[in-house]
Amino acid sequence: MAANPQPRVKRPHGDAVNLSHGSGGKAMRDLIEGLILPALGASSTTPLEDQARIDVPEIVGNGGRIAFTTDSYVVDPLSFPGGDIGTLAINGTVNDLAVGGARPTVLSCSLILEEGLPFAILEKMMCSMARAAQAAGVRIVTGDTKVVPRGSADKLFINTAGIGIIPKDVNLEIARIRPGDQLLLNGHLGDHGAAILKARGDLALDADVQSDCQPLHRIIAALLAAAPGTRCIRDVTRGGLATVLNEFAQGAGVGMRIVEDSIPVRPAVRGICEVLGLDPLYLANEGKLLAVVPAEEAGAALEALRACPEGTNAEIIGEVLPNPPGRVVLSSHFGGERIVDMLVGEQLPRIC
């Protein structure tokens, strides 16, 4: 579907979604053809098949592989500084493909609507999805819509699945991590988690912070071009940097050391963490990646990250150690060390 920043939407009769809009009949068709498809940039003549048919000639005979992922989004509130559930649903799925070395191509979009959801909010979120898809260079090619009774969901939930193409010479896996490798982060930690806290309004926070929600496939392509020996990449989302580091260390059977003074955190985010007793290492992000790169390619990798708008504040934040296997340690500002465990429990529910 080609995105259209100014879709011609015809809302169904009334002001909000009701159960008939999920019945499979005329009301549902009016909602899809009148609001959802135009807001996503498609016309009413778009064939409404039960599946999308996708040509992938570039992988035939070239040794490429298909990457496939799915994710669901239940963020509260629906809109927050720097984004909303629509941009999150597109960028989150694009990034899940990109960190595997794939070029994202097409997405699905499935909606769970609560009875009573205002059409104006639904239209806004669909338009956000269209703009984000256009910016990321992907198409939304199939989807589904369900409506549940009032109180059975919270306004709007979105599921997106995505398909991407992995070139034959790209192989990013945790098992490839080796002692001596360098750890690269593309920018400030914790922006998304802090933005959600601010948007919820429960704590009267007045910090100027925006979510880092952004697609990462272009910066990853630049990284792989500059450092083709890159071992693996992960987007730093729920559970934060600490969780990703522990997954890497345990999966590869290596140790990892990060340096506190090398980890970029905005003063506003650090201030929120100090007030609330949170650790920025565990805050969620929606536009950050952690890359493990051989030491001899780390300089070129850092330069490539900093040359991209998504990575102007990139840093080398640590290194891979042979021991102790499965453990992450942080060298603190004061010269000591502490163990960094994986997140236990839920620091901030419904963050994405």
Side-chain angles (χ1 to χ4, degrees), residues 128-168:
S128 289
M129 292 190 77
R131 288 190 294 268
Q134 183 180 46
V138 297
R139 296 181 299 134
I140 302 169
V141 296
T142 190
D144 184 53
T145 304
K146 295 292 190 297
V147 179
V148 297
R150 195 184 304 269
S152 297
D154 189 2
K155 297 181 285 293
L156 170 65
F157 298 156
I158 300 178
N159 173 273
T160 45
I163 292 175
I165 307 300
I166 304 175
K168 65 177 181 179

PDB file of all heavy atoms in Angstrom, residues 128-168:
ATOM      1  N   SER A 128      -0.633   7.584  11.338  1.00  0.00           N
ATOM      2  CA  SER A 128       0.726   7.473  11.860  1.00  0.00           C
ATOM      3  C   SER A 128       1.419   6.237  11.303  1.00  0.00           C
ATOM      4  O   SER A 128       2.604   6.276  10.946  1.00  0.00           O
ATOM      5  CB  SER A 128       0.707   7.410  13.390  1.00  0.00           C
ATOM      6  OG  SER A 128       0.364   8.652  13.951  1.00  0.00           O
ATOM      7  N   MET A 129       0.692   5.126  11.233  1.00  0.00           N
ATOM      8  CA  MET A 129       1.267   3.917  10.664  1.00  0.00           C
ATOM      9  C   MET A 129       1.657   4.137   9.210  1.00  0.00           C
ATOM     10  O   MET A 129       2.737   3.707   8.771  1.00  0.00           O
ATOM     11  CB  MET A 129       0.283   2.751  10.761  1.00  0.00           C
ATOM     12  CG  MET A 129       0.014   2.262  12.167  1.00  0.00           C
ATOM     13  SD  MET A 129      -0.924   0.707  12.210  1.00  0.00           S
ATOM     14  CE  MET A 129       0.360  -0.480  11.782  1.00  0.00           C
ATOM     15  N   ALA A 130       0.797   4.803   8.467  1.00  0.00           N
ATOM     16  CA  ALA A 130       1.091   5.049   7.052  1.00  0.00           C
ATOM     17  C   ALA A 130       2.338   5.898   6.880  1.00  0.00           C
ATOM     18  O   ALA A 130       3.197   5.611   6.041  1.00  0.00           O
ATOM     19  CB  ALA A 130      -0.105   5.732   6.381  1.00  0.00           C
ATOM     20  N   ARG A 131       2.449   6.957   7.684  1.00  0.00           N
ATOM     21  CA  ARG A 131       3.632   7.818   7.572  1.00  0.00           C
ATOM     22  C   ARG A 131       4.903   7.072   7.973  1.00  0.00           C
ATOM     23  O   ARG A 131       5.950   7.210   7.328  1.00  0.00           O
ATOM     24  CB  ARG A 131       3.451   9.068   8.435  1.00  0.00           C
ATOM     25  CG  ARG A 131       2.445  10.060   7.890  1.00  0.00           C
ATOM     26  CD  ARG A 131       2.505  11.373   8.655  1.00  0.00           C
ATOM     27  NE  ARG A 131       2.084  11.217  10.042  1.00  0.00           N
ATOM     28  CZ  ARG A 131       0.838  11.384  10.460  1.00  0.00           C
ATOM     29  NH1 ARG A 131      -0.121  11.679   9.597  1.00  0.00           N
ATOM     30  NH2 ARG A 131       0.534  11.247  11.744  1.00  0.00           N
ATOM     31  N   ALA A 132       4.814   6.268   9.026  1.00  0.00           N
ATOM     32  CA  ALA A 132       5.987   5.519   9.471  1.00  0.00           C
ATOM     33  C   ALA A 132       6.397   4.473   8.439  1.00  0.00           C
ATOM     34  O   ALA A 132       7.594   4.259   8.196  1.00  0.00           O
ATOM     35  CB  ALA A 132       5.705   4.853  10.819  1.00  0.00           C
ATOM     36  N   ALA A 133       5.425   3.820   7.835  1.00  0.00           N
ATOM     37  CA  ALA A 133       5.728   2.828   6.799  1.00  0.00           C
ATOM     38  C   ALA A 133       6.386   3.483   5.598  1.00  0.00           C
ATOM     39  O   ALA A 133       7.361   2.959   5.036  1.00  0.00           O
ATOM     40  CB  ALA A 133       4.456   2.092   6.387  1.00  0.00           C
ATOM     41  N   GLN A 134       5.868   4.633   5.206  1.00  0.00           N
ATOM     42  CA  GLN A 134       6.454   5.355   4.080  1.00  0.00           C
ATOM     43  C   GLN A 134       7.892   5.769   4.399  1.00  0.00           C
ATOM     44  O   GLN A 134       8.795   5.621   3.566  1.00  0.00           O
ATOM     45  CB  GLN A 134       5.615   6.582   3.747  1.00  0.00           C
ATOM     46  CG  GLN A 134       6.113   7.354   2.531  1.00  0.00           C
ATOM     47  CD  GLN A 134       5.254   8.561   2.223  1.00  0.00           C
ATOM     48  OE1 GLN A 134       4.917   9.321   3.122  1.00  0.00           O
ATOM     49  NE2 GLN A 134       4.887   8.746   0.969  1.00  0.00           N
ATOM     50  N   ALA A 135       8.106   6.265   5.604  1.00  0.00           N
ATOM     51  CA  ALA A 135       9.450   6.704   5.991  1.00  0.00           C
ATOM     52  C   ALA A 135      10.426   5.528   6.030  1.00  0.00           C
ATOM     53  O   ALA A 135      11.615   5.692   5.725  1.00  0.00           O
ATOM     54  CB  ALA A 135       9.402   7.384   7.352  1.00  0.00           C
ATOM     55  N   ALA A 136       9.932   4.354   6.411  1.00  0.00           N
ATOM     56  CA  ALA A 136      10.793   3.174   6.493  1.00  0.00           C
ATOM     57  C   ALA A 136      10.926   2.440   5.165  1.00  0.00           C
ATOM     58  O   ALA A 136      11.741   1.520   5.052  1.00  0.00           O
ATOM     59  CB  ALA A 136      10.261   2.212   7.557  1.00  0.00           C
ATOM     60  N   GLY A 137      10.123   2.825   4.177  1.00  0.00           N
ATOM     61  CA  GLY A 137      10.191   2.182   2.873  1.00  0.00           C
ATOM     62  C   GLY A 137       9.599   0.794   2.838  1.00  0.00           C
ATOM     63  O   GLY A 137      10.035  -0.062   2.062  1.00  0.00           O
ATOM     64  N   VAL A 138       8.576   0.547   3.668  1.00  0.00           N
ATOM     65  CA  VAL A 138       7.906  -0.751   3.675  1.00  0.00           C
ATOM     66  C   VAL A 138       6.437  -0.569   3.303  1.00  0.00           C
ATOM     67  O   VAL A 138       5.894   0.534   3.367  1.00  0.00           O
ATOM     68  CB  VAL A 138       8.011  -1.441   5.052  1.00  0.00           C
ATOM     69  CG1 VAL A 138       9.455  -1.738   5.393  1.00  0.00           C
ATOM     70  CG2 VAL A 138       7.370  -0.603   6.147  1.00  0.00           C
ATOM     71  N   ARG A 139       5.802  -1.678   2.913  1.00  0.00           N
ATOM     72  CA  ARG A 139       4.382  -1.651   2.559  1.00  0.00           C
ATOM     73  C   ARG A 139       3.584  -2.486   3.539  1.00  0.00           C
ATOM     74  O   ARG A 139       4.025  -3.551   3.971  1.00  0.00           O
ATOM     75  CB  ARG A 139       4.164  -2.201   1.147  1.00  0.00           C
ATOM     76  CG  ARG A 139       4.796  -1.388   0.040  1.00  0.00           C
ATOM     77  CD  ARG A 139       4.500  -2.011  -1.319  1.00  0.00           C
ATOM     78  NE  ARG A 139       5.046  -3.356  -1.420  1.00  0.00           N
ATOM     79  CZ  ARG A 139       4.382  -4.414  -1.893  1.00  0.00           C
ATOM     80  NH1 ARG A 139       3.113  -4.294  -2.285  1.00  0.00           N
ATOM     81  NH2 ARG A 139       4.965  -5.604  -1.967  1.00  0.00           N
ATOM     82  N   ILE A 140       2.385  -1.999   3.891  1.00  0.00           N
ATOM     83  CA  ILE A 140       1.420  -2.794   4.662  1.00  0.00           C
ATOM     84  C   ILE A 140       0.535  -3.493   3.638  1.00  0.00           C
ATOM     85  O   ILE A 140      -0.188  -2.835   2.884  1.00  0.00           O
ATOM     86  CB  ILE A 140       0.588  -1.916   5.592  1.00  0.00           C
ATOM     87  CG1 ILE A 140       1.488  -1.147   6.555  1.00  0.00           C
ATOM     88  CG2 ILE A 140      -0.421  -2.759   6.371  1.00  0.00           C
ATOM     89  CD1 ILE A 140       0.784  -0.063   7.337  1.00  0.00           C
ATOM     90  N   VAL A 141       0.581  -4.832   3.607  1.00  0.00           N
ATOM     91  CA  VAL A 141      -0.049  -5.548   2.497  1.00  0.00           C
ATOM     92  C   VAL A 141      -1.229  -6.417   2.906  1.00  0.00           C
ATOM     93  O   VAL A 141      -1.960  -6.903   2.038  1.00  0.00           O
ATOM     94  CB  VAL A 141       0.995  -6.415   1.753  1.00  0.00           C
ATOM     95  CG1 VAL A 141       2.066  -5.543   1.115  1.00  0.00           C
ATOM     96  CG2 VAL A 141       1.628  -7.444   2.689  1.00  0.00           C
ATOM     97  N   THR A 142      -1.429  -6.630   4.199  1.00  0.00           N
ATOM     98  CA  THR A 142      -2.554  -7.449   4.627  1.00  0.00           C
ATOM     99  C   THR A 142      -2.875  -7.118   6.079  1.00  0.00           C
ATOM    100  O   THR A 142      -2.075  -6.464   6.758  1.00  0.00           O
ATOM    101  CB  THR A 142      -2.246  -8.956   4.473  1.00  0.00           C
ATOM    102  OG1 THR A 142      -3.448  -9.717   4.675  1.00  0.00           O
ATOM    103  CG2 THR A 142      -1.182  -9.406   5.448  1.00  0.00           C
ATOM    104  N   GLY A 143      -4.037  -7.530   6.540  1.00  0.00           N
ATOM    105  CA  GLY A 143      -4.405  -7.207   7.912  1.00  0.00           C
ATOM    106  C   GLY A 143      -5.712  -7.843   8.332  1.00  0.00           C
ATOM    107  O   GLY A 143      -6.318  -8.626   7.593  1.00  0.00           O
ATOM    108  N   ASP A 144      -6.156  -7.476   9.525  1.00  0.00           N
ATOM    109  CA  ASP A 144      -7.388  -8.015  10.086  1.00  0.00           C
ATOM    110  C   ASP A 144      -7.895  -7.028  11.128  1.00  0.00           C
ATOM    111  O   ASP A 144      -7.112  -6.244  11.691  1.00  0.00           O
ATOM    112  CB  ASP A 144      -7.130  -9.383  10.726  1.00  0.00           C
ATOM    113  CG  ASP A 144      -8.410 -10.037  11.231  1.00  0.00           C
ATOM    114  OD1 ASP A 144      -9.362 -10.148  10.428  1.00  0.00           O
ATOM    115  OD2 ASP A 144      -8.465 -10.415  12.411  1.00  0.00           O
ATOM    116  N   THR A 145      -9.182  -7.045  11.383  1.00  0.00           N
ATOM    117  CA  THR A 145      -9.801  -6.158  12.369  1.00  0.00           C
ATOM    118  C   THR A 145     -10.777  -6.942  13.223  1.00  0.00           C
ATOM    119  O   THR A 145     -11.617  -7.673  12.694  1.00  0.00           O
ATOM    120  CB  THR A 145     -10.548  -4.995  11.685  1.00  0.00           C
ATOM    121  OG1 THR A 145      -9.648  -4.289  10.840  1.00  0.00           O
ATOM    122  CG2 THR A 145     -11.119  -4.036  12.720  1.00  0.00           C
ATOM    123  N   LYS A 146     -10.656  -6.802  14.530  1.00  0.00           N
ATOM    124  CA  LYS A 146     -11.602  -7.392  15.465  1.00  0.00           C
ATOM    125  C   LYS A 146     -12.062  -6.322  16.447  1.00  0.00           C
ATOM    126  O   LYS A 146     -11.306  -5.396  16.782  1.00  0.00           O
ATOM    127  CB  LYS A 146     -10.961  -8.544  16.254  1.00  0.00           C
ATOM    128  CG  LYS A 146     -10.565  -9.748  15.416  1.00  0.00           C
ATOM    129  CD  LYS A 146     -11.776 -10.480  14.871  1.00  0.00           C
ATOM    130  CE  LYS A 146     -11.412 -11.823  14.240  1.00  0.00           C
ATOM    131  NZ  LYS A 146     -10.525 -11.686  13.073  1.00  0.00           N
ATOM    132  N   VAL A 147     -13.302  -6.433  16.917  1.00  0.00           N
ATOM    133  CA  VAL A 147     -13.858  -5.527  17.919  1.00  0.00           C
ATOM    134  C   VAL A 147     -14.292  -6.351  19.123  1.00  0.00           C
ATOM    135  O   VAL A 147     -14.954  -7.392  18.967  1.00  0.00           O
ATOM    136  CB  VAL A 147     -15.059  -4.728  17.365  1.00  0.00           C
ATOM    137  CG1 VAL A 147     -15.630  -3.805  18.437  1.00  0.00           C
ATOM    138  CG2 VAL A 147     -14.654  -3.921  16.141  1.00  0.00           C
ATOM    139  N   VAL A 148     -13.910  -5.897  20.321  1.00  0.00           N
ATOM    140  CA  VAL A 148     -14.294  -6.599  21.550  1.00  0.00           C
ATOM    141  C   VAL A 148     -15.161  -5.669  22.403  1.00  0.00           C
ATOM    142  O   VAL A 148     -15.093  -4.443  22.265  1.00  0.00           O
ATOM    143  CB  VAL A 148     -13.057  -7.053  22.348  1.00  0.00           C
ATOM    144  CG1 VAL A 148     -12.240  -8.053  21.532  1.00  0.00           C
ATOM    145  CG2 VAL A 148     -12.192  -5.873  22.763  1.00  0.00           C
ATOM    146  N   PRO A 149     -15.993  -6.231  23.279  1.00  0.00           N
ATOM    147  CA  PRO A 149     -16.887  -5.391  24.088  1.00  0.00           C
ATOM    148  C   PRO A 149     -16.109  -4.423  24.977  1.00  0.00           C
ATOM    149  O   PRO A 149     -14.960  -4.666  25.362  1.00  0.00           O
ATOM    150  CB  PRO A 149     -17.659  -6.417  24.930  1.00  0.00           C
ATOM    151  CG  PRO A 149     -17.594  -7.684  24.151  1.00  0.00           C
ATOM    152  CD  PRO A 149     -16.255  -7.678  23.485  1.00  0.00           C
ATOM    153  N   ARG A 150     -16.762  -3.336  25.293  1.00  0.00           N
ATOM    154  CA  ARG A 150     -16.176  -2.323  26.173  1.00  0.00           C
ATOM    155  C   ARG A 150     -15.673  -2.983  27.458  1.00  0.00           C
ATOM    156  O   ARG A 150     -16.372  -3.765  28.091  1.00  0.00           O
ATOM    157  CB  ARG A 150     -17.229  -1.267  26.500  1.00  0.00           C
ATOM    158  CG  ARG A 150     -16.675   0.025  27.114  1.00  0.00           C
ATOM    159  CD  ARG A 150     -17.829   0.945  27.491  1.00  0.00           C
ATOM    160  NE  ARG A 150     -18.699   1.217  26.357  1.00  0.00           N
ATOM    161  CZ  ARG A 150     -18.550   2.251  25.526  1.00  0.00           C
ATOM    162  NH1 ARG A 150     -17.562   3.107  25.721  1.00  0.00           N
ATOM    163  NH2 ARG A 150     -19.399   2.429  24.530  1.00  0.00           N
ATOM    164  N   GLY A 151     -14.419  -2.669  27.829  1.00  0.00           N
ATOM    165  CA  GLY A 151     -13.828  -3.242  29.022  1.00  0.00           C
ATOM    166  C   GLY A 151     -13.044  -4.511  28.790  1.00  0.00           C
ATOM    167  O   GLY A 151     -12.323  -4.972  29.675  1.00  0.00           O
ATOM    168  N   SER A 152     -13.161  -5.106  27.595  1.00  0.00           N
ATOM    169  CA  SER A 152     -12.431  -6.344  27.290  1.00  0.00           C
ATOM    170  C   SER A 152     -11.048  -6.075  26.702  1.00  0.00           C
ATOM    171  O   SER A 152     -10.261  -7.001  26.518  1.00  0.00           O
ATOM    172  CB  SER A 152     -13.234  -7.212  26.321  1.00  0.00           C
ATOM    173  OG  SER A 152     -14.451  -7.620  26.914  1.00  0.00           O
ATOM    174  N   ALA A 153     -10.777  -4.842  26.365  1.00  0.00           N
ATOM    175  CA  ALA A 153      -9.453  -4.401  25.912  1.00  0.00           C
ATOM    176  C   ALA A 153      -9.334  -2.944  26.327  1.00  0.00           C
ATOM    177  O   ALA A 153     -10.275  -2.367  26.882  1.00  0.00           O
ATOM    178  CB  ALA A 153      -9.292  -4.570  24.409  1.00  0.00           C
ATOM    179  N   ASP A 154      -8.185  -2.342  26.054  1.00  0.00           N
ATOM    180  CA  ASP A 154      -7.972  -0.939  26.405  1.00  0.00           C
ATOM    181  C   ASP A 154      -7.760  -0.133  25.133  1.00  0.00           C
ATOM    182  O   ASP A 154      -6.640  -0.012  24.635  1.00  0.00           O
ATOM    183  CB  ASP A 154      -6.765  -0.807  27.340  1.00  0.00           C
ATOM    184  CG  ASP A 154      -6.631   0.609  27.909  1.00  0.00           C
ATOM    185  OD1 ASP A 154      -7.488   1.458  27.605  1.00  0.00           O
ATOM    186  OD2 ASP A 154      -5.666   0.856  28.647  1.00  0.00           O
ATOM    187  N   LYS A 155      -8.838   0.327  24.559  1.00  0.00           N
ATOM    188  CA  LYS A 155      -8.870   1.196  23.387  1.00  0.00           C
ATOM    189  C   LYS A 155      -8.399   0.500  22.115  1.00  0.00           C
ATOM    190  O   LYS A 155      -9.201   0.185  21.243  1.00  0.00           O
ATOM    191  CB  LYS A 155      -8.080   2.485  23.640  1.00  0.00           C
ATOM    192  CG  LYS A 155      -8.662   3.347  24.768  1.00  0.00           C
ATOM    193  CD  LYS A 155      -7.881   4.617  24.966  1.00  0.00           C
ATOM    194  CE  LYS A 155      -6.566   4.412  25.665  1.00  0.00           C
ATOM    195  NZ  LYS A 155      -6.713   3.982  27.082  1.00  0.00           N
ATOM    196  N   LEU A 156      -7.089   0.276  21.995  1.00  0.00           N
ATOM    197  CA  LEU A 156      -6.543  -0.232  20.735  1.00  0.00           C
ATOM    198  C   LEU A 156      -5.282  -1.045  20.992  1.00  0.00           C
ATOM    199  O   LEU A 156      -4.350  -0.573  21.648  1.00  0.00           O
ATOM    200  CB  LEU A 156      -6.200   0.955  19.803  1.00  0.00           C
ATOM    201  CG  LEU A 156      -5.395   0.655  18.540  1.00  0.00           C
ATOM    202  CD1 LEU A 156      -6.191  -0.240  17.597  1.00  0.00           C
ATOM    203  CD2 LEU A 156      -5.010   1.960  17.842  1.00  0.00           C
ATOM    204  N   PHE A 157      -5.266  -2.267  20.466  1.00  0.00           N
ATOM    205  CA  PHE A 157      -4.058  -3.093  20.423  1.00  0.00           C
ATOM    206  C   PHE A 157      -3.746  -3.369  18.961  1.00  0.00           C
ATOM    207  O   PHE A 157      -4.657  -3.513  18.135  1.00  0.00           O
ATOM    208  CB  PHE A 157      -4.251  -4.428  21.153  1.00  0.00           C
ATOM    209  CG  PHE A 157      -4.547  -4.308  22.627  1.00  0.00           C
ATOM    210  CD1 PHE A 157      -5.214  -5.332  23.291  1.00  0.00           C
ATOM    211  CD2 PHE A 157      -4.168  -3.190  23.360  1.00  0.00           C
ATOM    212  CE1 PHE A 157      -5.490  -5.246  24.649  1.00  0.00           C
ATOM    213  CE2 PHE A 157      -4.432  -3.096  24.718  1.00  0.00           C
ATOM    214  CZ  PHE A 157      -5.101  -4.123  25.365  1.00  0.00           C
ATOM    215  N   ILE A 158      -2.460  -3.438  18.631  1.00  0.00           N
ATOM    216  CA  ILE A 158      -2.036  -3.680  17.248  1.00  0.00           C
ATOM    217  C   ILE A 158      -1.052  -4.840  17.220  1.00  0.00           C
ATOM    218  O   ILE A 158      -0.139  -4.910  18.038  1.00  0.00           O
ATOM    219  CB  ILE A 158      -1.375  -2.430  16.630  1.00  0.00           C
ATOM    220  CG1 ILE A 158      -2.348  -1.242  16.613  1.00  0.00           C
ATOM    221  CG2 ILE A 158      -0.889  -2.727  15.206  1.00  0.00           C
ATOM    222  CD1 ILE A 158      -1.742   0.046  16.069  1.00  0.00           C
ATOM    223  N   ASN A 159      -1.238  -5.737  16.261  1.00  0.00           N
ATOM    224  CA  ASN A 159      -0.236  -6.756  15.965  1.00  0.00           C
ATOM    225  C   ASN A 159       0.284  -6.521  14.555  1.00  0.00           C
ATOM    226  O   ASN A 159      -0.501  -6.319  13.624  1.00  0.00           O
ATOM    227  CB  ASN A 159      -0.821  -8.176  16.059  1.00  0.00           C
ATOM    228  CG  ASN A 159       0.172  -9.231  15.586  1.00  0.00           C
ATOM    229  OD1 ASN A 159       0.238  -9.530  14.407  1.00  0.00           O
ATOM    230  ND2 ASN A 159       0.936  -9.768  16.512  1.00  0.00           N
ATOM    231  N   THR A 160       1.591  -6.530  14.415  1.00  0.00           N
ATOM    232  CA  THR A 160       2.196  -6.447  13.092  1.00  0.00           C
ATOM    233  C   THR A 160       3.155  -7.612  12.912  1.00  0.00           C
ATOM    234  O   THR A 160       3.869  -7.994  13.842  1.00  0.00           O
ATOM    235  CB  THR A 160       2.973  -5.125  12.892  1.00  0.00           C
ATOM    236  OG1 THR A 160       3.770  -4.874  14.044  1.00  0.00           O
ATOM    237  CG2 THR A 160       2.039  -3.967  12.663  1.00  0.00           C
ATOM    238  N   ALA A 161       3.136  -8.193  11.728  1.00  0.00           N
ATOM    239  CA  ALA A 161       4.135  -9.175  11.332  1.00  0.00           C
ATOM    240  C   ALA A 161       4.890  -8.600  10.153  1.00  0.00           C
ATOM    241  O   ALA A 161       4.355  -7.776   9.400  1.00  0.00           O
ATOM    242  CB  ALA A 161       3.481 -10.506  10.960  1.00  0.00           C
ATOM    243  N   GLY A 162       6.138  -9.007   9.993  1.00  0.00           N
ATOM    244  CA  GLY A 162       6.952  -8.439   8.931  1.00  0.00           C
ATOM    245  C   GLY A 162       7.802  -9.476   8.233  1.00  0.00           C
ATOM    246  O   GLY A 162       8.194 -10.489   8.824  1.00  0.00           O
ATOM    247  N   ILE A 163       8.075  -9.212   6.964  1.00  0.00           N
ATOM    248  CA  ILE A 163       8.950 -10.055   6.157  1.00  0.00           C
ATOM    249  C   ILE A 163      10.081  -9.196   5.616  1.00  0.00           C
ATOM    250  O   ILE A 163       9.865  -8.059   5.183  1.00  0.00           O
ATOM    251  CB  ILE A 163       8.182 -10.716   5.002  1.00  0.00           C
ATOM    252  CG1 ILE A 163       7.178 -11.748   5.551  1.00  0.00           C
ATOM    253  CG2 ILE A 163       9.124 -11.393   4.005  1.00  0.00           C
ATOM    254  CD1 ILE A 163       6.292 -12.359   4.496  1.00  0.00           C
ATOM    255  N   GLY A 164      11.286  -9.738   5.653  1.00  0.00           N
ATOM    256  CA  GLY A 164      12.443  -9.067   5.099  1.00  0.00           C
ATOM    257  C   GLY A 164      13.335 -10.054   4.376  1.00  0.00           C
ATOM    258  O   GLY A 164      13.162 -11.272   4.483  1.00  0.00           O
ATOM    259  N   ILE A 165      14.308  -9.527   3.635  1.00  0.00           N
ATOM    260  CA  ILE A 165      15.218 -10.344   2.853  1.00  0.00           C
ATOM    261  C   ILE A 165      16.622 -10.224   3.442  1.00  0.00           C
ATOM    262  O   ILE A 165      17.157  -9.119   3.585  1.00  0.00           O
ATOM    263  CB  ILE A 165      15.248  -9.910   1.379  1.00  0.00           C
ATOM    264  CG1 ILE A 165      13.819  -9.858   0.808  1.00  0.00           C
ATOM    265  CG2 ILE A 165      16.143 -10.833   0.569  1.00  0.00           C
ATOM    266  CD1 ILE A 165      13.084 -11.173   0.863  1.00  0.00           C
ATOM    267  N   ILE A 166      17.231 -11.359   3.803  1.00  0.00           N
ATOM    268  CA  ILE A 166      18.602 -11.389   4.301  1.00  0.00           C
ATOM    269  C   ILE A 166      19.523 -11.778   3.154  1.00  0.00           C
ATOM    270  O   ILE A 166      19.382 -12.868   2.583  1.00  0.00           O
ATOM    271  CB  ILE A 166      18.772 -12.405   5.439  1.00  0.00           C
ATOM    272  CG1 ILE A 166      17.784 -12.124   6.576  1.00  0.00           C
ATOM    273  CG2 ILE A 166      20.205 -12.380   5.973  1.00  0.00           C
ATOM    274  CD1 ILE A 166      17.826 -13.157   7.681  1.00  0.00           C
ATOM    275  N   PRO A 167      20.483 -10.921   2.785  1.00  0.00           N
ATOM    276  CA  PRO A 167      21.437 -11.300   1.733  1.00  0.00           C
ATOM    277  C   PRO A 167      22.236 -12.537   2.121  1.00  0.00           C
ATOM    278  O   PRO A 167      22.440 -12.829   3.303  1.00  0.00           O
ATOM    279  CB  PRO A 167      22.346 -10.064   1.627  1.00  0.00           C
ATOM    280  CG  PRO A 167      21.545  -8.937   2.206  1.00  0.00           C
ATOM    281  CD  PRO A 167      20.697  -9.560   3.281  1.00  0.00           C
ATOM    282  N   LYS A 168      22.708 -13.264   1.117  1.00  0.00           N
ATOM    283  CA  LYS A 168      23.367 -14.547   1.376  1.00  0.00           C
ATOM    284  C   LYS A 168      24.654 -14.412   2.185  1.00  0.00           C
ATOM    285  O   LYS A 168      25.072 -15.357   2.847  1.00  0.00           O
ATOM    286  CB  LYS A 168      23.657 -15.262   0.063  1.00  0.00           C
ATOM    287  CG  LYS A 168      24.667 -14.549  -0.836  1.00  0.00           C
ATOM    288  CD  LYS A 168      24.944 -15.358  -2.080  1.00  0.00           C
ATOM    289  CE  LYS A 168      25.966 -14.671  -2.987  1.00  0.00           C
ATOM    290  NZ  LYS A 168      26.251 -15.473  -4.195  1.00  0.00           N
TER     291      LYS A 168
END
